[in-house]
Amino acid sequence: MELDLSPKLAKKVYGDDSGSYYAWCPNELPMLREGNIGAAKLALEKNGFALPRYSDSSMVAYVLQGGGVAGIILPESEEKVIAIKKGDAIALPFGVITWWYNKEDTELVVLFMGDTSKGHKPGQFTDFFLTGSNGIFTGFTTDFVKRAWDVDDDIAKALIGNQKGKGIVKLDANVKMPEPKPDHRKGMALNCEEAPLDTDIKNAGNVVLLNTQNLPLVGQVGLGADLVRLEGNAMCSPGFSCDSALQVTYIVKGSGRLQVVGVDGKRVLETIVKAGNLLIVPRFFVVSKIADPGGLSWFSIITTPNPMFTHLAGSIGAWKAISPEVLQAAFKVPAETEKLFRSKRTNDAIFFPPPN
């Protein structure tokens, strides 16, 4: 049975006026289950507080909108309290406890994408909450709570029952939360919109790679990531992941055309992608995108911390390395045609400006 590769939007899982949690379902996007990939979004309104939790999956978080504060507690480590803003990428390894808070008027939206191969449900994140109506305290009997935390009966009952919220709550405006510490950001987050560009093609596009060099924690997560921005009507070269990695792509902004070619030269997907769409390209399948006039931006995770890609067009395209005689024979074309083919795209790598 052929898998449905068409891009999908996230569905609301829970939430209220404090914020909402959205996720992509493996039943609607089968490649999530096939590739053991999870994807979700957290949206917090003003004074929205995502209660402390840990997940069964390692993941990369990316701030899509707004700003706020995140608390990150790595195993056997002190809490890191960092200011987060649009463009921030944060690596979250196994066992990390996080909380998220928005004190601004603008909604804070955070994207999560990660590896569910060791999780409870392939293609889905399972969160374990420390507090709240579905928190771990509610599962233990009062005598266990009293014994474990050395508290009396009244305190144990308060710990178990006071917080009626589930997952996300709204705090009173006068509640004081920890202030972010600038030195805590080092090694924890990288702003992809401000980081040095790894590739920048005039009038075409640019890319920032997230890897073990600029954010070492991605090595623990086992994932790489990138932020790609295409100018209006520009094209991203057809290419594929040459190290058997999956690429999971979230459309951050804009829209454009996308084509994916798979086994036996079959075009398995031709569609228009828009902001909010998530799609997964199977291993070794070739993908290319052309931005609409307003441009196209996407954030991707790749299931290896230092990904490698083969591009089939442009100055670094694989065609350039193949002998002219081999190309003539392979394409069954005369030398003049092969020479013309090879002479094209000698200056543009990866991204191509709009045609004149």
Side-chain angles (χ1 to χ4, degrees):
M1 184 178 70
E2 292 185 359
L3 291 174
D4 178 11
L5 301 180
S6 57
K8 297 292 191 298
L9 297 170
K11 296 287 182 66
K12 185 175 178 178
V13 180
Y14 63 83
D16 52 28
D17 63 347
S18 59
S20 300
Y21 181 83
Y22 303 83
W24 282 266
C25 176
N27 292 333
E28 293 187 358
L29 194 57
M31 276 301 297
L32 290 172
R33 185 183 293 110
E34 185 80 8
N36 268 310
I37 297 293
K41 280 197 298 189
L42 174 68
L44 294 179
E45 302 297 335
K46 184 174 184 178
N47 297 320
F49 174 45
L51 296 172
R53 71 198 67 195
Y54 62 92
S55 176
D56 64 352
S57 305
S58 59
M59 62 187 75
V60 173
Y62 182 74
V63 182
L64 296 168
Q65 176 183 301
V69 180
I72 302 169
I73 304 94
L74 295 167
E76 300 181 359
S77 179
E78 66 171 0
E79 179 185 59
K80 303 284 189 181
V81 181
I82 65 173
I84 57 173
K85 64 179 181 178
K86 181 176 176 288
D88 276 349
I90 306 162
L92 302 174
F94 279 115
V96 67
I97 295 171
T98 64
W99 55 261
W100 311 79
Y101 176 59
N102 180 21
K103 61 181 179 181
E104 308 297 336
D105 292 329
T106 303
E107 185 181 46
L108 170 65
V109 183
V110 184
L111 171 72
F112 302 93
M113 298 193 290
D115 174 14
T116 65
S117 60
K118 297 178 182 176
H120 287 271
K121 302 173 184 177
Q124 287 181 276
F125 299 137
T126 300
D127 287 335
F128 295 83
F129 294 89
L130 301 192
T131 66
S133 62
N134 59 342
I136 60 169
F137 276 92
T138 63
F140 286 109
T141 57
T142 304
D143 62 314
F144 264 67
V145 173
K146 288 168 61 179
R147 180 89 177 265
W149 285 275
D150 191 23
V151 294
D152 62 26
D153 200 65
D154 289 340
I155 296 296
K157 288 179 179 177
L159 293 174
I160 293 170
N162 275 16
Q163 181 54 269
K164 306 296 184 185
K166 178 182 177 181
I168 304 171
V169 299
K170 178 166 278 192
L171 301 181
D172 290 335
N174 58 1
V175 170
K176 186 171 177 59
M177 294 292 281
E179 290 294 325
K181 298 175 180 172
D183 59 311
H184 282 188
R185 262 187 74 93
K186 185 177 181 181
M188 299 299 299
L190 176 76
N191 191 278
C192 296
E193 295 187 355
E194 298 173 355
L197 300 173
D198 290 276
T199 301
D200 186 15
I201 308 298
K202 186 179 180 181
N203 299 324
N206 58 63
V207 60
V208 170
L209 297 174
L210 192 71
N211 54 35
T212 56
Q213 302 300 310
N214 52 20
L215 193 60
L217 265 181
V218 299
Q220 292 186 41
V221 174
L223 302 168
D226 60 23
L227 174 67
V228 179
R229 289 166 285 197
L230 268 188
E231 301 290 339
N233 298 315
M235 182 180 194
C236 182
S237 166
F240 64 93
S241 170
C242 58
D243 51 7
S244 80
L246 282 170
Q247 187 171 10
V248 188
T249 297
Y250 176 86
I251 305 300
V252 174
K253 183 181 179 182
S255 61
R257 297 167 53 201
L258 175 142
Q259 292 185 357
V260 179
V261 176
V263 179
D264 293 327
K266 183 179 180 182
R267 189 188 317 126
V268 294
L269 181 63
E270 181 172 13
T271 189
I272 302 294
V273 291
K274 300 177 180 178
N277 283 160
L278 184 89
L279 65 137
I280 303 175
V281 177
R283 291 178 174 89
F284 301 110
F285 282 34
V286 179
V287 60
S288 183
K289 307 177 186 75
I290 298 177
D292 284 340
L296 178 65
S297 300
W298 63 88
F299 182 80
S300 297
I301 64 164
I302 303 96
T303 55
T304 179
N306 294 295
M308 295 179 63
F309 292 94
T310 294
H311 295 277
L312 299 178
S315 59
I316 60 171
W319 299 119
K320 306 291 187 187
I322 300 176
S323 305
E325 297 82 0
V326 173
L327 283 186
Q328 278 181 243
F331 279 122
K332 199 179 179 181
V333 294
E336 294 77 14
T337 301
E338 188 281 330
K339 188 175 181 180
L340 178 65
F341 176 67
R342 185 180 294 274
S343 69
K344 300 295 184 179
R345 297 292 184 206
T346 56
N347 297 319
D348 303 321
I350 307 177
F351 306 122
F352 311 139
N356 294 326

